[in-house]
Amino acid sequence: MQVTETAADGLKREYTITVPAGDLEQEITRRLGEIGRQVRLPGFRPGKVPMQILRTRFGPSVRGEVLQSTLQASSAEAISERKLRPALPPKVDIVSAGEGADLEYKMAIELLPEIPEPSFAELDIERLVVEVPEEEVDGAIERIAEQQRKSEVVERPAENGDILIVDLEGRIGEQEIPGAGGKDRQIVLGAGSSIPGFEDQLVGASAGEQRRVRVTFPADYAVADLAGKDADFEVDVKEVRRRSPIAIDDELGQAVGLENLAELRQELRQRLQRDYDAASRLRLKRSLLDKLAEGHDFPVPPGMVDLEFDNIWRQYQAQGEPPPAVAGAEATPAVGEVGAEATPAITDGDAVPTAAGPGQNDEAARAEYRRLAERRVRLGLLLAEVGRKNNITVTPDEVNQAITREARRHAGYERHVLDFYRQNPGAIDTLRAPIFEDKVIDFIVELAKIGERKITPRELLAMPDPAGEVALPS
C-alpha cells in the first residue's frame, strides 16, 4: 500500500492511497477458496468446485466485498501509521478500481486540534447559596393540605367553595368545543375559572339540576380559535359537595405516606433545597463554561461545525424561530467521551438576536448560528479532552442507573424503554454524554476558585435566565 499526502490545510488533510492489484487478487482468491469449501453446486463434490466456475458465479460480488473491506482496512491503517486523530469519519473518493488494476482512492480527513492545557486554578467563579425559608415550606404544606382536603355530599344549593360533580358539554353555535365536555368533571366554585363568569352562573345549583351557562371567551384566551367567541355550556349537576376545613396535622403527613407532619416538613424542605441547589448549579455551570469559552480560542474542525450548524438551522427552519437553546430555554451541554472518532458537542443557551422567521434575516441568522456552532464545538472538544487526559469515564452502573431513571419517567412503559436501549446501543450515548459532562464539570469545579454568595430565593428567581444570558455553544 502506498500513501501520499497531497494537501494539508489547517486541520484538513488529503491523501492518495494505492493498493496493488496483486494484493486485491490475492484476497479475492482467498475469499473464493473459502466459498468453494462451503458451497454446494450440482455435479461437484464439496470443496472440488473449480476456481474458474467460482469466479464466474461469485466473482463480481466477492470483488465488491473485497474492495469495501480493503477501503476500510487501508484507510484505518493509514490513519494509525500516521497517528492521526480524526474528528469525523474520513471521506473516500475512488479514482480507479477496474478489474486487474490497482485500487486508487483519495481520502480527505479532518483532524482533532491540539488543545492547550487549561489552568483551572485561575478560574474565578461564584456559587450562589440559597437557604429555604420556613414560610416557603409552610406554603408547600398548605398546598398539599388543599390537595388532600376531604369533601362530603350535601343536600342544598351550591355555595362558593363547594365542589360540583357535573357532566357538561360546550358549544359555539352548533359546533361542539373539542375537549370542553366530559363526564363527572369537578368544578370548585370560587377557585377562579379562565373563562370569566362561568362559575358565578353555577352558584345556587342543586343536584339533579341542569343549567345552561353562557360565556364569552377572553380576547387573549390561550386557544386562539376560541378567543373572543360566545359559547354555551350545558351543565348537568350530579352532586354538590362541601369541602371540609383544611387540617394541617400528623394525619396530613400520614396521608402522603410519611410518619407525621414533622417528617413531611423535612421532606418538603429537602425537596425545595434540591431544586434551589439545581438552579444554583446551573448558573455555576453556565458561568464556568462562559469563562472557558472566553479563555480558549483554538481552531476547530470545519466538518464538526457544519454538523452542529445544520442541527441548529434545521430547528430554526422547523420552528420558524431560534431553537430553544438559543432563544433562552434551558439547554443542557452534552459532551461525548472523547476518542479518535468522538464528536463532542455542547449546548449552552447562547443568546442571539431573534429572527422573524425563515426567509427573513436569514443571512444574519446564519452568521450568528455559525458562530454559535463553532463555539459549542470548541467547548465540547475542550471538555472532552479534559476528560480524556484525566481518565474521567462513565461506568456501566452509571449508565444503567440513567436507563432506569429514564424508564421510570415513562410509567407503564418501563419495559418498552428498557427494550429500546437494549436493542439500540447507540441511543445509550444520549444518556452517557450528560453524565460524562457533569463529571468533567465537577472535576473542573474542584480545581477552580469558587466563591460563595448567599442570596434569597426571591433574588435567585429574579435573576435573568442563564440560558438566555450566557454566550455558549452546543
Side-chain angles (χ1 to χ4, degrees):
M1 180 179 73
Q2 181 180 349
V3 182
T4 304
E5 185 176 271
T6 57
D9 180 15
L11 297 175
K12 294 182 178 181
R13 300 288 186 274
E14 291 185 7
Y15 300 89
T16 296
I17 300 177
T18 303
V19 180
D23 292 353
L24 294 174
E25 180 57 32
Q26 183 178 350
E27 181 62 18
I28 291 172
T29 301
R30 185 193 68 78
R31 179 70 182 112
L32 287 172
E34 289 180 350
I35 293 174
R37 289 190 291 273
Q38 301 170 3
V39 74
R40 293 181 178 274
L41 293 179
F44 299 98
R45 296 195 305 276
K48 298 299 183 180
V49 181
M51 181 59 68
Q52 188 57 43
I53 292 179
L54 291 173
R55 286 186 181 277
T56 301
R57 291 285 300 270
F58 305 106
S61 62
V62 168
R63 180 174 178 78
E65 292 175 7
V66 169
L67 285 175
Q68 182 64 34
S69 62
T70 301
L71 284 171
Q72 294 175 348
S74 58
S75 59
E77 182 181 347
I79 290 170
S80 177
E81 286 180 351
R82 285 156 183 76
K83 295 181 172 58
L84 304 177
R85 295 182 64 206
L88 297 169
K91 296 180 180 179
V92 171
D93 183 17
I94 296 177
V95 177
S96 64
E99 190 167 352
D102 294 344
L103 168 62
E104 181 180 338
Y105 66 93
K106 294 180 179 179
M107 180 178 71
I109 192 169
E110 291 185 9
L111 307 179
L112 291 171
E114 290 295 326
I115 300 175
E117 186 75 29
S119 176
F120 300 128
E122 298 175 0
L123 290 175
D124 191 359
I125 307 168
E126 181 180 68
R127 176 188 282 118
L128 302 176
V129 179
V130 179
E131 295 181 358
V132 180
E134 286 302 310
E135 56 266 26
E136 192 160 345
V137 179
D138 293 339
I141 289 178
E142 289 173 4
R143 288 191 293 273
I144 291 177
E146 180 66 32
Q147 294 167 2
Q148 296 293 323
R149 195 171 178 180
K150 295 180 174 59
S151 65
E152 59 181 359
V153 175
V154 292
E155 300 297 332
R156 60 165 173 74
E159 301 173 355
N160 267 326
D162 288 343
I163 297 175
L164 297 186
I165 308 299
V166 305
D167 295 342
L168 76 163
E169 181 181 278
R171 292 182 176 276
I172 295 178
E174 298 299 320
Q175 185 176 0
E176 186 175 344
I177 302 173
K183 301 288 187 181
D184 297 326
R185 299 279 290 269
Q186 288 192 15
I187 299 176
V188 181
L189 299 185
S193 170
S194 59
I195 310 173
F198 184 88
E199 294 171 10
D200 295 343
Q201 298 179 56
L202 294 174
V203 173
S206 300
E209 183 179 346
Q210 289 185 332
R211 285 201 176 188
R212 172 172 288 185
V213 175
R214 292 182 171 88
V215 295
T216 300
F217 285 96
D220 59 351
Y221 194 66
V223 181
D225 290 344
L226 303 179
K229 294 184 178 179
D230 296 331
D232 289 333
F233 285 85
E234 294 293 340
V235 182
D236 181 6
V237 180
K238 302 170 77 172
E239 286 183 357
V240 177
R241 304 186 69 89
R242 178 179 59 199
R243 295 195 295 171
S244 304
I246 293 178
I248 298 178
D249 51 24
D250 286 343
E251 288 187 8
L252 178 61
Q254 294 164 7
V256 295
L258 300 175
E259 289 293 327
N260 48 45
L261 181 61
E263 190 171 333
L264 175 59
R265 291 187 66 86
Q266 182 66 15
E267 174 68 23
L268 290 173
R269 183 182 292 104
Q270 292 175 352
R271 188 183 305 171
L272 290 166
Q273 190 66 61
R274 286 194 297 269
D275 291 342
Y276 286 128
D277 289 346
S280 175
R281 175 180 167 79
L282 176 61
R283 284 176 165 80
L284 175 70
K285 184 177 182 177
R286 301 296 187 199
S287 178
L288 171 62
L289 293 175
D290 201 31
K291 291 286 182 70
L292 291 175
E294 291 172 2
H296 296 84
D297 184 16
F298 51 84
V300 293
M304 294 181 70
V305 176
D306 290 342
L307 289 174
E308 182 64 24
F309 171 79
D310 289 344
N311 181 52
I312 295 172
W313 193 252
R314 278 195 301 270
Q315 294 179 60
Y316 168 64
Q317 291 186 311
Q319 300 171 9
E321 58 185 16
V326 176
E330 179 178 335
T332 303
V335 180
E337 290 185 71
V338 74
E341 298 81 22
T343 56
I346 184 167
T347 305
D348 63 274
D350 205 354
V352 299
T354 302
Q360 303 179 40
N361 259 345
D362 273 2
E363 287 307 312
R366 279 182 176 275
E368 190 64 19
Y369 291 150
R370 183 162 291 279
R371 180 198 65 79
L372 175 64
E374 180 176 332
R375 187 169 178 174
R376 288 177 173 178
V377 170
R378 183 174 291 111
L379 274 174
L381 289 172
L382 177 63
L383 294 188
E385 186 70 357
V386 171
R388 185 184 72 86
K389 287 187 175 180
N390 293 280
N391 299 316
I392 298 173
T393 59
V394 177
T395 67
D397 282 347
E398 289 170 330
V399 172
N400 290 335
Q401 290 170 15
I403 293 174
T404 300
R405 286 194 298 270
E406 190 67 18
R408 287 173 178 167
R409 289 181 57 243
H410 300 81
Y413 296 90
E414 292 89 349
R415 176 54 53 187
H416 295 80
V417 174
L418 295 175
D419 289 344
F420 170 77
Y421 285 108
R422 190 176 296 113
Q423 297 165 11
N424 299 274
I428 294 177
D429 290 339
T430 62
L431 301 179
R432 181 184 289 108
I435 299 172
F436 176 76
E437 171 211 290
D438 278 342
K439 295 180 77 170
V440 174
I441 292 292
D442 288 341
F443 173 81
I444 296 174
V445 167
E446 287 296 320
L447 299 178
K449 292 187 294 185
I450 306 295
E452 292 190 349
R453 177 164 64 96
K454 290 187 176 181
I455 63 172
T456 66
R458 184 182 298 274
E459 290 172 325
L460 178 67
L461 296 175
M463 290 181 174
D465 184 347
E469 67 178 4
V470 181
L472 295 181
S474 149

